[in-house]
Amino acid sequence: MSLDYTTLDLLRQSHPAWRLLRSDHAPLVASFLHRVFIVPNIRVMAQADLAEALDDELFALRETQAFPKSAIEYLNDWAGPEKGWLRKFYASGSDEPQFDLTPATEKAIAWLGTLTERSFVGTESRLLTLFELLKQMSEGSETDPQARIEELHKRRDEIDLEIARVLAGDMPLLDDTALRDRFQQFNQLARELLTDFREVEHNFRGLDRRVRERIALWEGSKGALLEDIMGERDAIADSDQGRSFRAFWDFLMSSSRQEELSTLLERVLTLPPVAELKPDARIRRVHYDWLEAGEHAQRTVAQLSQQLRRFLDDQAWLENRRIMDILRDIEAKALQLRESPPSGEVMSIADTAAGIELPMERPLYTPTVKPVIADVELEAGDAEVDAAALYSQIVIDKARLARHIRHALQDRTQITLRELCEMRPLQHGLAELVAYLQLAGDTFKTVADEETVETIVWTRIGPDGREYIKQARLPRVIFVR
């Protein structure tokens, strides 16, 4: 992007981030939104909760500053088109307004954070990161197999040499400065990654808005419209942003990767040089913040797809109604011409023929057979019926299953449905598995990985007294604390 005078002047007049920095209330807006949305990683907040938090903020500031408006008025002003610092919308199934940060506001707040003085400016870790990125691009684009093999041999020799040095007692360690340098860079990149998710959601909503505009102004056939829309959806999924987001999501949804990240974070945060920096407590679970933000982006895409489908259904209904109006108009005009039909030929039908049906082709009438009821005297008797079947009905104890899930989440932050069934095997088979899925949708916070299929196995005692192995294959369901 060229930062010439014309471009910067246009940004100064129209960009919400620049408007925020120029505002007289910038300290209030930036500090409040940073505390409420960014620090706790809140993606959406109801109007009542946000207004209550802003009321508390204004009450503390009005002792020294003049803020004459109410909290609701300030929020509506910040969400208006003249400001564009908040996004105000109504969630599906709710009549209460919801608020979220716009990507421009988060960028402005992030830039303000860079103005504060840091304890030191590390450059080594950034240089190593840049050098490693160049190596990955160079090796990843190499098409010569021999060159790739030579590079792998070189890397293997370096690893062998390092192993030999460690075995000989020469084990180089990072000093305190290098550890603090790398942790600062990790902290910055982790926060920037959370910032990127709002921009991803914003881009998906922009795509949905463009598709709706195209539907409203479309004059061609419906098939061509659907082909064009589906092509647009595939284009965003196959774009650089879509591919990168999908690769990130696949990486993060791996349970082994999450456990590895948790272990590494616990070990790094206990290092004395890192502990001296007094890192934010949320950095310990930043990968779960990534997961929550990514899940919110996935839900946004799913909601947009549902809304688009309903929008297309409405368009189809309007089209069908237009056809019925045309048919009724034709019927009305035909009735008007019934008494005085037009002279001359009105309509011609090609290849007309009379339908011939011979009388002998018709089947003869067959009377119904009258049932014969035997005049037999009924006798009362006693049948040997086992009434125990009436009392052996299966009842799934959902409270017991919920306690099992909560107990499993006490010492871990997440667990899959398959792991739950392995810890405590299913006693009632498929009915108990369905109860787990119902709890996942109604009671607990869950994440579904559609691309990973897991197999859940249980045993069932058959009528012959033998054990039978049953299994169910379903997408991975993860219960999150």
Side-chain angles (χ1 to χ4, degrees), residues 122-313:
T123 54
E124 179 195 6
S125 60
R126 296 187 181 186
L127 178 60
L128 293 177
T129 302
L130 295 176
F131 187 78
E132 184 62 27
L133 289 175
L134 289 176
K135 285 182 62 178
Q136 291 177 9
M137 288 186 288
S138 176
E139 295 172 5
S141 60
E142 180 60 61
T143 58
D144 184 8
Q146 187 61 34
R148 294 286 293 271
I149 293 175
E150 290 178 359
E151 183 62 32
L152 291 174
H153 285 166
K154 180 181 177 183
R155 195 183 306 169
R156 184 186 62 184
D157 295 340
E158 293 175 353
I159 294 175
D160 291 339
L161 180 60
E162 187 174 356
I163 292 175
R165 291 175 58 187
V166 172
L167 291 176
D170 182 12
M171 189 166 56
L173 300 175
L174 293 175
D175 57 14
D176 294 353
T177 302
L179 289 174
R180 285 192 290 266
D181 180 11
R182 284 158 176 76
F183 182 76
Q184 272 197 352
Q185 186 183 6
F186 169 79
N187 195 12
Q188 179 182 355
L189 292 177
R191 289 300 179 184
E192 289 177 356
L193 189 57
L194 285 174
T195 303
D196 292 340
F197 278 110
R198 279 196 171 89
E199 190 164 0
V200 170
E201 293 180 39
H202 177 75
N203 292 341
F204 280 127
R205 284 192 294 268
L207 167 67
D208 182 75
R209 185 164 52 251
R210 292 194 300 271
V211 170
R212 290 171 184 270
E213 293 174 356
R214 190 173 305 171
I215 293 174
L217 301 176
W218 188 263
E219 296 181 354
S221 64
K222 188 175 182 179
L225 172 62
L226 291 176
E227 182 180 358
D228 191 55
I229 292 174
M230 294 304 108
E232 189 78 18
R233 287 283 175 179
D234 294 339
I236 192 65
D238 295 335
S239 63
D240 292 340
Q241 179 173 264
R243 290 175 182 269
S244 178
F245 179 76
R246 187 166 60 249
F248 165 81
W249 186 250
D250 293 341
F251 180 89
L252 196 60
M253 284 300 297
S254 171
S255 58
S256 60
R257 293 292 188 181
Q258 293 181 22
E259 293 176 1
E260 183 181 3
L261 280 171
S262 299
T263 303
L264 290 174
L265 280 171
E266 289 290 342
R267 184 174 180 275
V268 168
L269 290 174
T270 56
L271 296 174
V274 176
E276 291 176 1
L277 296 175
K278 297 180 180 179
D280 186 3
R282 292 193 65 87
I283 201 67
R284 190 180 300 273
R285 60 180 310 276
V286 67
H287 49 306
Y288 295 115
D289 287 344
W290 296 339
L291 186 65
E292 183 177 353
E295 182 185 356
H296 189 272
Q298 294 278 37
R299 287 198 302 266
T300 299
V301 175
Q303 290 173 0
L304 293 178
S305 299
Q306 293 175 0
Q307 293 172 4
L308 178 60
R309 185 172 63 250
R310 288 197 296 267
F311 189 66
L312 288 173
D313 291 341

Side-chain angles (χ1 to χ4, degrees), residues 1-4 7-8 11:
M1 179 179 178
S2 176
L3 296 180
D4 53 24
T7 303
L8 292 177
L11 289 175

Side-chain angles (χ1 to χ4, degrees), residues 273-404:
V274 176
E276 291 176 1
L277 296 175
K278 297 180 180 179
D280 186 3
R282 292 193 65 87
I283 201 67
R284 190 180 300 273
R285 60 180 310 276
V286 67
H287 49 306
Y288 295 115
D289 287 344
W290 296 339
L291 186 65
E292 183 177 353
E295 182 185 356
H296 189 272
Q298 294 278 37
R299 287 198 302 266
T300 299
V301 175
Q303 290 173 0
L304 293 178
S305 299
Q306 293 175 0
Q307 293 172 4
L308 178 60
R309 185 172 63 250
R310 288 197 296 267
F311 189 66
L312 288 173
D313 291 341
D314 293 342
Q315 292 290 323
W317 180 81
L318 291 174
E319 184 177 344
N320 293 335
R321 182 178 179 182
R322 178 174 174 272
I323 293 174
M324 294 302 299
D325 291 341
I326 294 175
L327 291 176
R328 291 193 184 95
D329 187 48
I330 294 174
E331 292 175 352
K333 290 185 177 181
L335 291 174
Q336 293 176 2
L337 297 175
R338 181 175 57 181
E339 300 299 332
S340 58
S343 59
E345 184 177 327
V346 178
M347 180 184 296
S348 60
I349 302 176
D351 298 332
T352 59
I356 300 176
E357 183 178 358
L358 299 178
M360 298 302 296
E361 292 180 352
R362 299 180 180 179
L364 299 176
Y365 172 75
T366 303
T368 58
V369 178
K370 183 177 181 180
V372 178
I373 301 177
D375 188 8
V376 179
E377 183 180 357
L378 299 179
E379 297 180 0
D382 296 329
E384 296 182 359
V385 178
D386 186 10
L390 298 175
Y391 304 97
S392 60
Q393 303 297 317
I394 296 176
V395 177
I396 304 300
D397 188 359
K398 291 186 180 179
R400 181 181 63 84
L401 300 182
R403 288 195 300 269
H404 175 43

Side-chain angles (χ1 to χ4, degrees), residues 27 64 192 294 437 447:
T64 57
E192 289 177 356
L437 295 175
V447 178

